[in-house]
Amino acid sequence: MLAGLASADINYTVSIRTGEAAALHVKMVIPNTPLGAIVQIPNWAPGSYRLVDNFKNVKSFKATGADGKDLAVSNTAHTWTVQPSTTTTVEYDMPLTVLDGSVHWSGPSTYMYVVDRKSERCTLKVETPDNGAAYTGLAGVGNQFSAPDYDVLADNPVSTGDLRVLSYVSRGKTHFIVMRGKAKADVNGDYLIKACKHVSDAQSMFFGNELPFSHYIWHFNVNDSPDGAGGLEHLNSTQISLASGVGPRVVSVLSHEYFHLWNVKRIRSNVLGPFDYTQLPKTGALWWLEGVTDYYAHLFLYRYGWWGRDAYYKDIIDNLNSVANNPAHLEVSPHDASYRVGEAANGRGNSQGYRISYYPYGWISGLVLDIELRSRTNSKYSLDDVEKALWEMCRDDQPGFREDEIRTQLVRFGGYEMGLFYDDVIRKSGPLRVETQLGKLGLRIVEKDEQFANFGFGGQVTADVGYVVNFADGAAKDKLLPRDVIVKFGDVEAKGTRRAIQTAATDFVTKGKVGTVAKLTVIRAGQTMEVELTPIAGIRKVKSIEEMTNATPAQIALRNDFLRVFPVK
């Protein structure tokens, strides 16, 4: 590989070009290239453990020298080799997606880097057609930013254009809520601020009332749904697909992605930065970095008062069912689900795990380890102590932890046998231990029959049509047909946003009573008609957690310590 002779700023300019030649136009000015320059675009993105072939999106690549003349370039897949010049300017286009007047891009899929020079300082200038503000986690003034190295540059996505921007302050640090998409206007801004701020205040309280950044960006791509979200973490920001209804699942994703400020982005395996963007990293700790992140994200919603105890118990059951219902847990350990993720999808990798998701697998593994450590030390130590010890090791840009470090810290706090317990839970596959561990808290899992009103139909909401029936059976058999469009649930019209229509459908089914007639208004083959349904009794098995009536004082004391609730300060 060729290398530059000296360290210097590598300057990036991103221009948003609209019209017939719409594109994100990227220009790199690379100083000190008398031996030539080799540039690459990442083949994967941190946080998403899969190969993505970003090089296929690169268009109109060219390089010029200090005199402005074209330089010879050779290209193989994600690598471009440029002939020598004192200074090299590289330019290329990437696809531009405009969403309801807004533009958003991620670093790894946009910015190339100079091979062997990723540690050099980078600057970024964003040029927009209307000189509108660009929002990113990078430090800067106006639309000009800087990063200490390429990894930091790439780890800060950018939003600009027609945005809805809110803000709040936590621990003296400003947090910007940056929303894009047509449904952004439907979001209850006060409630979203309340949820985001609660997450920020609670998690920073856990880590000593400090936040490891100058400011933070919530990049939200808002969709028209009652609930649901998915995200990708970054050093000082996150990208989240957000349901405009900001339901309970949204808040859990907010908590998950924010906790990544510590777990993954700073508390990390040593292979997760500095990065090799040409191949997927291998670490057996993704169950911790993703799954235990989710464990703490949900535990904190309970511990700091956002959720009640019943909601937290249900969350335990949901994660347990998710793992138990996948027979791969009998053959694949949490370690292997993490370490072998690159073998998934025919060697392309994925963001879930090898054969079984390391999210719920790590979630319940965290619960099992936490209870065990508390039980062995009579609540003197918990998984909190392991997390905080890892933070002290990795904070302030220290290197990531070794592959065996989580085990080492568990032994430190729980003794030699805690290491053997870790080996059984994390390095081996087999039966899950959740019920046994809950028993140590004087809790048990029970399964009961639950009756519900079964209308016997289902469907989906489409933006251009409405609620479209896709199956009908039982009480709805011969009364509803596939492709029927429900335009009214009882007295509630199924119109407006997707979120409003889905809410009307959910309320209709939830409020139904066995044996009581309910009315629908349906359009079938262009004709409007009324349909009467009488839901029948359905029976479903429901698991729940309840307290043992014969729990010992020791079990109750352990439970009370584990389930302690703290006011957010």
Side-chain angles (χ1 to χ4, degrees):
M1 292 292 184
L2 302 177
L5 297 181
S7 176
D9 288 2
I10 299 175
N11 302 310
Y12 294 76
T13 300
V14 176
S15 304
I16 298 172
R17 297 182 174 177
T18 57
E20 293 185 4
L24 280 179
H25 183 74
V26 183
K27 180 169 73 172
M28 297 172 61
V29 178
I30 311 166
N32 302 327
T33 55
L35 299 180
I38 298 176
V39 295
Q40 294 178 333
I41 193 163
N43 208 24
W44 70 285
S48 179
Y49 303 96
R50 59 192 181 95
L51 300 175
V52 291
D53 294 344
N54 288 317
F55 67 88
K56 293 181 178 179
N57 291 325
V58 177
K59 307 297 181 185
S60 305
F61 184 98
K62 74 171 185 176
T64 55
D67 57 2
K69 295 181 179 179
D70 289 346
L71 298 174
V73 177
S74 61
N75 168 231
T76 304
H78 55 269
T79 303
W80 287 258
T81 302
V82 183
Q83 75 176 84
S85 178
T86 54
T87 297
T88 299
T89 299
V90 165
E91 297 183 68
Y92 56 93
D93 290 336
M94 299 298 289
L96 172 66
T97 300
V98 180
L99 177 65
D100 292 300
S102 67
V103 176
H104 176 86
W105 66 87
S106 297
S109 60
T110 304
Y111 309 132
M112 294 186 179
Y113 58 86
V114 184
V115 174
D116 295 335
R117 294 178 62 178
K118 294 197 297 292
S119 63
E120 295 179 27
R121 186 175 181 270
C122 302
T123 67
L124 170 66
K125 181 180 180 182
V126 178
E127 297 180 341
T128 62
D130 57 358
N131 295 316
Y135 291 87
T136 178
L138 293 170
V141 176
N143 283 357
Q144 300 192 61
F145 310 94
S146 64
D149 54 40
Y150 174 84
D151 284 352
V152 174
L153 171 72
D155 200 46
N156 280 275
V158 180
S159 294
T160 188
D162 184 7
L163 306 169
R164 181 183 176 190
V165 181
L166 308 172
S167 67
Y168 64 92
V169 176
S170 177
R171 310 301 175 197
K173 305 293 179 66
T174 300
H175 293 62
F176 293 96
I177 294 174
V178 179
M179 292 180 276
R180 64 190 191 278
K182 184 177 180 179
K184 64 182 181 291
D186 299 327
V187 174
N188 183 329
D190 290 342
Y191 183 78
L192 182 57
I193 289 175
K194 179 181 177 182
C196 291
K197 181 170 169 50
H198 179 89
V199 166
S200 302
D201 291 349
Q203 294 188 10
S204 58
M205 181 176 164
F206 176 79
F207 284 104
N209 295 319
E210 62 178 352
L211 288 168
F213 49 72
S214 61
H215 67 285
Y216 188 82
I217 310 289
W218 297 92
H219 295 277
F220 289 133
N221 180 12
V222 184
N223 60 74
D224 176 22
S225 301
D227 199 5
L232 183 66
E233 69 277 0
H234 300 283
L235 270 171
N236 307 332
S237 60
T238 184
Q239 300 173 94
I240 295 178
S241 174
L242 181 87
S244 59
V246 193
R249 285 183 291 151
V250 165
V251 179
S252 69
V253 172
L254 299 179
S255 188
H256 177 98
E257 296 304 332
Y258 201 80
F259 196 76
H260 273 318
L261 288 172
W262 294 275
N263 254 19
V264 172
K265 299 316 300 181
R266 291 166 175 88
I267 300 171
R268 67 187 191 278
S269 302
N270 56 15
V271 298
L272 297 181
F275 294 106
D276 178 351
Y277 294 98
T278 65
Q279 57 186 344
L280 295 178
K282 287 189 174 184
T283 173
L286 294 179
W287 66 271
W288 177 277
L289 298 172
E290 292 291 353
V292 172
T293 288
D294 212 37
Y295 170 69
Y296 269 114
H298 291 198
L299 175 61
F300 283 178
L301 290 176
Y302 166 76
R303 183 185 288 180
Y304 295 102
W306 189 270
W307 279 354
R309 187 171 294 192
D310 288 345
Y312 181 59
Y313 284 168
K314 182 180 183 301
D315 206 39
I316 294 174
I317 294 296
D318 289 346
N319 280 277
L320 174 60
N321 286 341
S322 180
V323 180
N325 291 339
N326 185 341
H329 79 271
L330 297 172
E331 300 174 354
V332 179
S333 69
H335 173 275
D336 285 349
S338 305
Y339 192 79
R340 300 178 64 181
V341 64
E343 298 176 36
N346 296 317
R348 302 285 297 176
N350 65 24
S351 296
Q352 288 290 322
Y354 172 71
R355 296 185 60 193
I356 185 169
S357 173
Y358 43 63
Y359 285 86
Y361 212 177
W363 200 109
I364 65 167
S365 297
L367 175 69
V368 166
L369 292 172
D370 197 1
I371 295 174
E372 186 68 17
L373 187 52
R374 291 171 182 268
S375 177
R376 287 180 179 272
T377 64
N378 195 26
S379 294
K380 182 179 180 181
Y381 297 114
S382 71
L383 207 64
D384 296 1
D385 296 287
V386 176
E387 177 70 7
K388 290 178 180 179
L390 293 173
W391 172 232
E392 290 303 316
M393 291 178 56
C394 297
R395 63 181 299 160
D396 301 325
D397 297 322
Q398 296 181 80
F401 58 75
R402 303 187 309 272
E403 282 295 295
D404 62 349
E405 191 59 48
I406 297 168
R407 185 186 192 279
T408 297
Q409 293 301 323
L410 284 165
V411 170
R412 171 189 172 189
F413 293 109
Y416 173 78
E417 291 189 352
M418 190 69 203
L420 300 181
F421 186 84
Y422 168 92
D423 294 340
D424 286 341
V425 172
I426 303 303
R427 299 304 296 260
K428 298 177 183 178
S429 59
L432 307 173
R433 300 168 180 254
V434 174
E435 293 189 56
T436 299
Q437 296 303 90
L438 289 176
K440 295 175 182 178
L441 304 179
L443 300 172
R444 65 177 181 178
I445 297 175
V446 296
E447 185 175 76
K448 299 178 181 178
D449 290 339
E450 180 181 83
Q451 187 182 80
F452 68 100
N454 186 359
F455 281 93
F457 74 89
Q460 62 183 11
V461 179
T462 62
D464 55 339
V465 178
Y467 190 97
V468 182
V469 175
N470 56 23
F471 76 87
D473 204 351
K477 189 174 183 180
D478 299 327
K479 294 190 175 184
L480 290 176
L481 299 176
R483 294 188 294 279
D484 282 353
V485 179
I486 300 176
V487 295
K488 186 181 287 188
F489 291 92
D491 296 327
V492 180
E493 292 188 0
K495 67 178 183 178
T497 64
R498 290 179 63 250
R499 168 184 163 191
I501 297 171
Q502 186 61 60
T503 299
T506 301
D507 288 347
F508 177 82
V509 172
T510 302
K511 295 176 182 178
K513 295 181 179 180
V514 175
T516 300
V517 176
K519 295 181 179 181
L520 297 170
T521 303
V522 174
I523 295 178
R524 178 182 300 165
Q527 299 295 315
T528 301
M529 56 190 295
E530 298 243 335
V531 174
E532 292 187 344
L533 298 181
T534 304
I536 61 178
I539 301 294
R540 54 193 172 201
K541 296 288 186 182
V542 177
K543 291 181 179 179
S544 62
I545 294 175
E546 65 179 27
E547 297 177 359
M548 297 177 181
T549 57
N550 61 344
T552 67
Q555 290 172 322
I556 294 172
L558 196 66
R559 179 205 308 157
N560 289 341
D561 187 76
F562 178 74
L563 294 174
R564 187 180 304 171
V565 176
F566 299 87
V568 177
K569 299 179 181 179

